[in-house]
Amino acid sequence: MSLLSPFLEPVANKAAAAVPIHWQIKGMHTFQNLKKRVGKREQPPVFKEVPLPDVSSLALEDIDVSNPFLYRQGLWHSYFKRLRDECPVHYQKNSPFGPFWSVTRYEDIMFVDTHHDLFSAEPIISLGPPPPGLEIETFIAMDPPKHDVQRQAVQGVVAPKNLAQMESLIRSRTADVLDHLPVDEPFDWVQTVSIDLTSRMLATLFDFPYEQRHKLAYWSDMAAAPPESTGGTADIDESFAASADMARQMSLLWREKEARKAAGEEPGFDLISLLLANESTRTMINRPMEFLGNMVLLIVGGNDTTRNSMTGGVLALNQFPEEFAKLKQNPDLIPNMVSEIIRWQTPLAYMRRVAKQDIELSNKTIKKGDKVVMWYASGNRDERAFEQDPDLFIIDRKNVRKHLSFGFGVHRCMGNRLAEMQLRILWEEILKRFDDIEVLGEPEYVQSNFVRGYSKMMVKLRAKI
């Protein structure tokens, strides 16, 4: 921060507040295109899928778990197992995302995650940087105290009392989706159930126009898929267009609620109303990158975990049919099974940190400023942490809530109880209607080193007699 920052920042914010956010994004897009024309814009990495080698054929220093095809090709398990066994804190100096440390054992991940005094979440949680011109600010990528203030402003939407009030609405919307599914004929579970249900929930949380709810899932997909950040497939021009559209619609929603509040109307209990009611965040819209970043965070946070666990649970019960039989005999196991699904799936593979000082971890010296990646996907399969074989899917697994998928410490996922409730209701309603969900062939997976997600999974339902 320069000495002039305290004086310049308010001026910059005032100027930014005068120009609608979506126009600012369009302006930045034009500027980036001009830089591209004169050869001044850095091109994002291009990832071309080729078969990856067996990990046993690689030298330790050549193992790169940032490859966005590792999950899709089903090799992530063997790669991470070798790192856990032979080099649990591993340095990769030549990845497309720059050098980084991988932390792969459960206990080491817990240490990093619970020491925000030693490891910073700033400036971003993905392995690579954001696309130039879209450097948003989100509270998950902020350190205390700023993180705590912004998180506290929206935490109330998932308070136990509010969750209890939401349950009947979530159940009715889940039932509506399930009641319209085809029986005894193939259909795509990802599009028809997982995406539609999570979009309905997001629309409820934001009080967003219900008929346009599909946009929320689309914006989330675009935000999580820049190639330079996660190895995904998002096109930069499409990302700018999606960001501008999201900024326009969310700004309109914010201004409408702001006007109603000013007119004395009782505020709702949606995320934007909560941000408007908090002294620290009520003017967030005047800080465009912070406003946009927190809208993205809340949309992505409400989308990826739930949506991919909805699909992952169906896949797991197909791969372990004895567990499906156990579930049908004892539906009381659903809450425990939900945690097991989230552990087994681990919808977000990691979170990134930056070391604030030199630190010794598992006999390795991590230097101040080094990138450190906590691989939750690996920690959730650590044989040292889970008494029963962690590669198995066991719906009555002991102590399953110790899984890492929601993180720990100050950045623990604030929506974890809501995600669990959505999944619990889904399975309660499935068991009322269907005797079997057969997965037809291999699912199609998302290209990413961050999101462990599905793009398509064909299934066939058999009705309960």
Side-chain angles (χ1 to χ4, degrees):
M1 181 183 288
S2 77
L3 292 173
L4 292 175
S5 292
F7 306 101
L8 294 177
E9 208 166 272
V11 175
N13 285 339
K14 196 171 180 181
V19 181
I21 298 175
H22 63 283
W23 280 111
Q24 294 181 47
I25 294 171
K26 288 179 178 178
M28 185 55 72
H29 188 195
T30 302
F31 176 63
Q32 292 297 326
N33 279 336
L34 285 173
K35 284 178 71 177
K36 183 181 177 184
R37 281 181 200 167
V38 296
K40 296 291 185 184
R41 191 175 87 183
E42 191 175 339
Q43 292 302 301
V46 176
F47 295 97
K48 185 177 179 185
E49 185 165 10
V50 295
L52 297 174
D54 188 295
V55 72
S56 63
S57 68
L58 296 173
L60 264 178
E61 61 266 28
D62 293 332
I63 295 176
D64 182 4
V65 286
S66 73
N67 191 299
F69 305 109
L70 199 64
Y71 176 55
R72 178 188 283 183
Q73 295 187 19
L75 293 172
W76 65 277
H77 172 261
S78 59
Y79 273 57
F80 280 115
K81 179 166 176 47
R82 182 158 176 219
L83 290 188
R84 285 197 305 273
D85 290 347
E86 298 179 30
C87 189
V89 177
H90 173 265
Y91 191 62
Q92 169 51 251
K93 61 181 179 182
N94 292 318
S95 92
F97 307 93
F100 68 96
W101 290 93
S102 282
V103 182
T104 58
R105 285 186 185 171
Y106 184 97
E107 290 299 333
D108 289 337
I109 292 169
M110 282 289 282
F111 178 81
V112 176
D113 221 1
T114 53
H115 282 83
H116 63 269
D117 53 327
L118 301 177
F119 298 95
S120 172
E122 298 178 357
I124 192 169
I125 56 169
S126 62
L127 240 169
L134 288 174
E135 294 93 348
I136 55 178
E137 299 175 31
T138 72
F139 68 78
I140 198 173
M142 292 175 186
D143 293 330
K146 192 174 182 183
H147 159 272
D148 301 350
V149 171
Q150 295 203 1
R151 177 182 168 118
Q152 194 173 20
V154 291
Q155 183 103 37
V157 79
V158 288
K161 184 181 174 187
N162 204 31
L163 287 182
Q165 290 174 350
M166 283 186 209
E167 178 156 352
S168 62
L169 177 63
I170 294 173
R171 191 175 295 281
S172 67
R173 290 184 169 175
T174 303
D176 183 51
V177 170
L178 297 180
D179 286 340
H180 288 87
L181 294 178
V183 176
D184 291 326
E185 60 182 86
F187 70 94
D188 181 8
W189 180 269
V190 175
Q191 292 295 330
T192 315
V193 180
S194 301
I195 291 179
D196 193 26
L197 263 180
T198 45
S199 299
R200 290 178 186 223
M201 193 63 236
L202 282 170
T204 303
L205 290 174
F206 280 95
D207 193 20
F208 189 80
Y210 197 61
E211 66 283 2
Q212 297 183 48
R213 61 187 182 276
H214 65 280
K215 284 191 172 185
L216 294 162
Y218 169 68
W219 294 335
S220 176
D221 288 347
M222 294 303 298
E228 56 270 80
S229 310
T230 64
T233 56
D235 173 78
I236 186 64
D237 294 325
E238 190 179 355
S239 292
F240 269 107
S243 298
D245 188 32
M246 182 179 76
R248 186 183 66 82
Q249 294 219 25
M250 299 311 277
S251 299
L252 279 174
L253 199 55
W254 182 288
R255 293 301 187 196
E256 284 174 15
K257 290 180 179 295
E258 192 176 45
R260 282 191 229 153
K261 182 170 178 275
E265 193 174 309
E266 192 69 24
F269 211 72
D270 56 273
L271 287 163
I272 289 179
S273 294
L274 288 170
L275 288 167
L276 278 166
N278 187 289
E279 187 61 29
S280 303
T281 52
R282 65 183 178 81
T283 59
M284 183 185 284
I285 198 166
N286 296 334
R287 302 184 292 279
M289 288 297 106
E290 191 177 317
F291 172 77
L292 190 61
N294 282 308
M295 293 300 107
V296 169
L297 170 64
L298 295 168
I299 292 170
V300 173
N303 180 45
D304 278 313
T305 297
T306 316
R307 164 175 149 186
N308 292 311
S309 294
M310 285 178 178
T311 304
V314 172
L315 182 63
L317 287 170
N318 267 254
Q319 293 184 1
F320 298 88
E322 69 282 2
E323 297 300 305
F324 203 172
K326 191 193 292 181
L327 175 67
K328 286 189 284 187
Q329 287 170 2
N330 187 3
D332 289 343
L333 290 173
I334 288 176
N336 203 76
M337 181 187 73
V338 164
S339 293
E340 175 68 345
I341 289 171
I342 295 168
R343 181 199 70 84
W344 190 83
Q345 178 61 34
T346 316
L348 295 180
Y350 67 83
M351 289 286 154
R352 170 189 135 170
R353 298 288 184 263
V354 174
K356 291 182 174 179
Q357 61 186 60
D358 291 0
I359 298 159
E360 292 288 325
L361 187 63
S362 282
N363 299 318
K364 298 291 175 65
T365 303
I366 297 172
K367 295 287 189 184
K368 179 181 178 181
D370 284 355
K371 279 196 283 189
V372 179
V373 179
M374 303 176 289
W375 289 98
Y376 297 149
S378 176
N380 276 340
R381 298 297 179 98
D382 187 353
E383 306 81 354
R384 298 153 195 82
F386 292 93
E387 186 180 329
Q388 297 159 290
D389 185 346
D391 286 333
L392 300 180
F393 180 75
I394 304 171
I395 66 171
D396 50 356
R397 179 181 293 278
K398 296 171 188 169
N399 300 320
V400 68
R401 279 191 59 80
K402 67 185 276 188
H403 69 75
L404 295 165
S405 302
F406 292 131
F408 280 92
V410 298
H411 293 288
R412 182 168 172 80
C413 172
M414 73 171 206
N416 68 88
R417 296 289 182 183
L418 175 60
E420 289 172 342
M421 184 169 77
Q422 288 178 266
L423 291 164
R424 171 176 61 77
I425 290 171
L426 173 65
W427 281 100
E428 287 171 354
E429 296 301 317
I430 284 174
L431 290 187
K432 288 178 187 173
R433 293 165 174 78
F434 307 114
D435 191 52
D436 189 32
I437 309 175
E438 180 187 359
V439 175
L440 307 172
E442 274 294 304
E444 295 178 13
Y445 297 92
V446 170
Q447 175 186 318
S448 176
N449 61 29
F450 183 56
V451 176
R452 287 163 47 86
Y454 305 87
S455 51
K456 186 176 183 181
M457 188 170 83
M458 298 302 292
V459 302
K460 188 164 72 173
L461 295 173
R462 190 169 69 223
K464 194 171 183 178
I465 300 173

